[in-house]
Amino acid sequence: MKEQIKNMVMERLDFTRDITDGRLKEMIQEAVMEYSRENPLLLEEKMKLSREVFYALRKLDFLQDLLDDDTVTEIMINGYQHIFIEKNGKLYRYPETFSSEEKLYQVVQQIAAAANRMVNEMHPIVDARLEDGSRVNIILPPVSLDGAVMTIRKFAREPMTMEWLYERHAFSRKVGEFLKLLVRARYNIFISGGTGSGKTTLLNGLSNCIPKDERIITIEDSAELRLNGIENLVRLEMRNANAAGEHQVDMKDLIKAALRSRPDRIIVGEVRGEEALSMLNAMNTGHDGSISTGHANGTSDMLRRIETMVLMGVDMPIAAIRGQMASAIDMILHLGRMPDGSRKLMEIVEVTGIRRQEVKVSPIFAMNSDGKLERTGEIKDIRKLKEYGQYERYQKLMEEVFQGTEPLET
């Protein structure tokens, strides 16, 4: 039925002229009314059909309904007949499908073109983003054996502030105040966690605690960060190579460019490879308060991963890499997904230096066996707290709120 009406509209379209959304909707409604004379439809069915045909012609087909649904956080397409969605941390099979592999391919190309990306058999893997900032990963045959694969990671429409995180029980307000202190005292922070653990969400929340009068440069693979109220903001995004394999601008290039642009802080969306050394250098060259994220199973694993990433780009002694890490990173925050699908802050550790050629950390908060975050220590290096006027607030917070080791309720 949808395809019939869509074909009726397509036959009447004048492709030599630009058709506005309003005019297209009128033509769709006329076609629906004409169809319903021979095939009676309820008013609700006519409205639904008109919307679906419009989405098929101008938007992203039935995916548009999912994109407009704020309860859906992720959309996974494994070929044109297998659609899955994530709601409230749990996966569900979606009943609708694309009409054909060709229709899915059209939607894929539409998304890639809108993001100024190219995806085809020669370049079958691409990262892109939608207009609303949602992140898209596309994998095409022959790399994908069962048809085109597309994953859309949606983000909340409202700004992801600390308040937003409290409401979703990622951590308590008490821990949130502690994190704000770390940002205001310009500690260099690395956020670790697995896929979908909430790293970018926490990065957004922390970034919105930065004083509004600072110059911030953000560096990302596909732009996702939403910093509010900062006027002196520079947003940089990687560029893929063209069809000839030329003119690529990678994250390492962007970090080098950012260092020449007089930033107060540099925020790197995610470190994945050899750019890790550039990020460490940035943190070590006076850009206190910088923040970045990376994939890892825990804080210790994150340190080992950074070592490995540095070695991807340069052959240097492990001792030198660890020395860079110990002097560059002040705090590591680790996130994880719980069995019920929720995302939680699981650990906060301070990097305290090198001992016996190993990077040493001191836990400040850790999740106990009951799934509650509890205090396990204090900040050892208080220099930045004093330098940036946060020491008294820190002392008051520790005295009033963090007495003892009782679990901090979320």
Side-chain angles (χ1 to χ4, degrees), residues 42-186:
L42 297 173
L43 177 60
E44 184 180 340
E45 291 174 322
K46 292 177 185 178
M47 293 173 62
K48 182 174 183 291
L49 196 53
S50 296
R51 186 178 71 251
E52 289 178 350
V53 174
F54 178 73
Y55 285 167
L57 290 172
R58 275 283 162 90
K59 299 285 185 177
L60 300 177
D61 209 324
F62 68 86
L63 293 184
Q64 195 64 46
D65 278 331
L66 296 176
L67 292 170
D68 293 338
D69 185 348
D70 291 340
T71 65
V72 175
T73 52
E74 196 149 3
I75 305 166
M76 289 147 276
I77 300 161
N78 309 334
Y80 76 99
Q81 290 183 310
H82 305 284
I83 318 294
F84 296 85
I85 61 173
E86 182 187 64
K87 273 190 174 188
N88 302 316
K90 297 194 178 296
L91 293 180
Y92 302 92
R93 179 75 179 258
Y94 192 65
E96 291 196 50
T97 65
F98 289 96
S99 57
S100 65
E101 187 71 31
E102 288 72 25
K103 179 57 186 176
L104 170 56
Y105 192 79
Q106 289 174 14
V107 171
V108 165
Q109 291 298 334
Q110 185 179 342
I111 289 173
N116 198 26
R117 296 285 200 268
M118 178 178 60
V119 60
N120 51 38
E121 287 189 4
M122 293 293 292
H123 301 89
I125 301 175
V126 71
D127 289 313
R129 73 175 187 277
L130 303 179
E131 288 182 3
D132 66 357
S134 296
R135 185 170 62 191
V136 184
N137 175 259
I138 299 168
I139 309 173
L140 294 185
V143 175
S144 171
L145 301 181
D146 299 316
V149 173
M150 182 164 61
T151 307
I152 302 174
R153 173 78 59 81
K154 290 176 59 184
F155 292 93
R157 298 181 189 277
E158 69 267 30
M160 285 173 275
T161 60
M162 298 298 272
E163 191 71 29
W164 191 93
L165 291 163
Y166 301 148
E167 291 172 0
R168 284 149 184 82
H169 306 295
F171 45 80
S172 69
R173 291 180 182 274
K174 301 172 185 179
V175 173
E177 286 300 313
F178 180 79
L179 295 177
K180 286 181 185 178
L181 279 175
L182 296 183
V183 173
R184 290 170 182 157
R186 300 179 70 95

Side-chain angles (χ1 to χ4, degrees), residues 322 326 352-362 380:
R322 291 174 179 171
T352 56
I354 295 286
R355 191 183 310 151
R356 296 177 184 173
Q357 298 186 337
E358 294 283 340
V359 179
K360 293 300 177 183
V361 298
S362 173
K380 296 185 180 297

Side-chain angles (χ1 to χ4, degrees), residues 94-376:
Y94 192 65
E96 291 196 50
T97 65
F98 289 96
S99 57
S100 65
E101 187 71 31
E102 288 72 25
K103 179 57 186 176
L104 170 56
Y105 192 79
Q106 289 174 14
V107 171
V108 165
Q109 291 298 334
Q110 185 179 342
I111 289 173
N116 198 26
R117 296 285 200 268
M118 178 178 60
V119 60
N120 51 38
E121 287 189 4
M122 293 293 292
H123 301 89
I125 301 175
V126 71
D127 289 313
R129 73 175 187 277
L130 303 179
E131 288 182 3
D132 66 357
S134 296
R135 185 170 62 191
V136 184
N137 175 259
I138 299 168
I139 309 173
L140 294 185
V143 175
S144 171
L145 301 181
D146 299 316
V149 173
M150 182 164 61
T151 307
I152 302 174
R153 173 78 59 81
K154 290 176 59 184
F155 292 93
R157 298 181 189 277
E158 69 267 30
M160 285 173 275
T161 60
M162 298 298 272
E163 191 71 29
W164 191 93
L165 291 163
Y166 301 148
E167 291 172 0
R168 284 149 184 82
H169 306 295
F171 45 80
S172 69
R173 291 180 182 274
K174 301 172 185 179
V175 173
E177 286 300 313
F178 180 79
L179 295 177
K180 286 181 185 178
L181 279 175
L182 296 183
V183 173
R184 290 170 182 157
R186 300 179 70 95
Y187 282 95
N188 289 326
I189 298 171
F190 214 98
I191 303 170
S192 71
T195 300
S197 60
K199 298 185 295 299
T200 303
T201 304
L202 179 57
L203 179 55
N204 266 306
L206 295 180
S207 298
N208 284 298
C209 299
I210 295 172
K212 307 305 180 187
D213 59 349
E214 295 186 17
R215 177 171 171 81
I216 311 301
I217 298 183
T218 65
I219 299 171
E220 300 175 82
D221 186 349
S222 292
E224 303 169 27
L225 294 174
R226 299 180 188 177
L227 275 63
N228 301 296
I230 296 177
E231 294 183 358
N232 200 346
L233 174 66
V234 178
R235 302 171 70 224
L236 304 179
E237 184 180 51
M238 286 173 52
R239 184 177 72 187
N240 293 335
N242 60 20
E246 302 170 333
H247 308 304
Q248 179 180 7
V249 180
D250 61 21
M251 196 165 285
K252 187 170 63 173
D253 298 326
L254 293 179
I255 293 174
K256 287 181 180 177
L259 290 171
R260 302 188 189 105
S261 302
R262 199 236 168 256
D264 288 313
R265 304 182 194 230
I266 296 175
I267 298 175
V268 178
E270 185 178 335
V271 173
R272 297 178 181 174
E274 59 187 79
E275 69 274 3
L277 180 59
S278 299
M279 184 65 217
L280 294 177
N281 286 333
M283 290 179 169
N284 268 326
T285 51
H287 299 92
D288 285 340
S290 294
I291 312 173
S292 187
T293 75
H295 280 82
N297 295 321
T299 53
S300 299
D301 185 45
M302 189 72 256
L303 292 170
R304 288 191 292 270
R305 288 260 302 138
I306 294 172
E307 284 182 20
T308 303
M309 289 188 286
V310 170
L311 288 171
M312 289 179 183
V314 62
D315 185 14
M316 63 186 293
I318 291 294
I321 298 174
R322 291 174 179 171
Q324 284 272 62
M325 290 162 52
S327 58
I329 303 170
D330 297 313
M331 299 284 172
I332 302 178
L333 318 180
H334 182 68
L335 296 157
R337 295 190 68 161
M338 309 304 288
D340 63 0
S342 63
R343 300 161 174 87
K344 301 281 188 182
L345 179 59
M346 303 184 73
E347 193 176 10
I348 302 174
V349 304
E350 179 184 8
V351 178
T352 56
I354 295 286
R355 191 183 310 151
R356 296 177 184 173
Q357 298 186 337
E358 294 283 340
V359 179
K360 293 300 177 183
V361 298
S362 173
I364 301 175
F365 293 99
M367 187 167 284
N368 62 22
S369 58
D370 296 326
K372 303 292 185 182
L373 202 64
E374 66 179 13
R375 176 189 156 205
T376 54

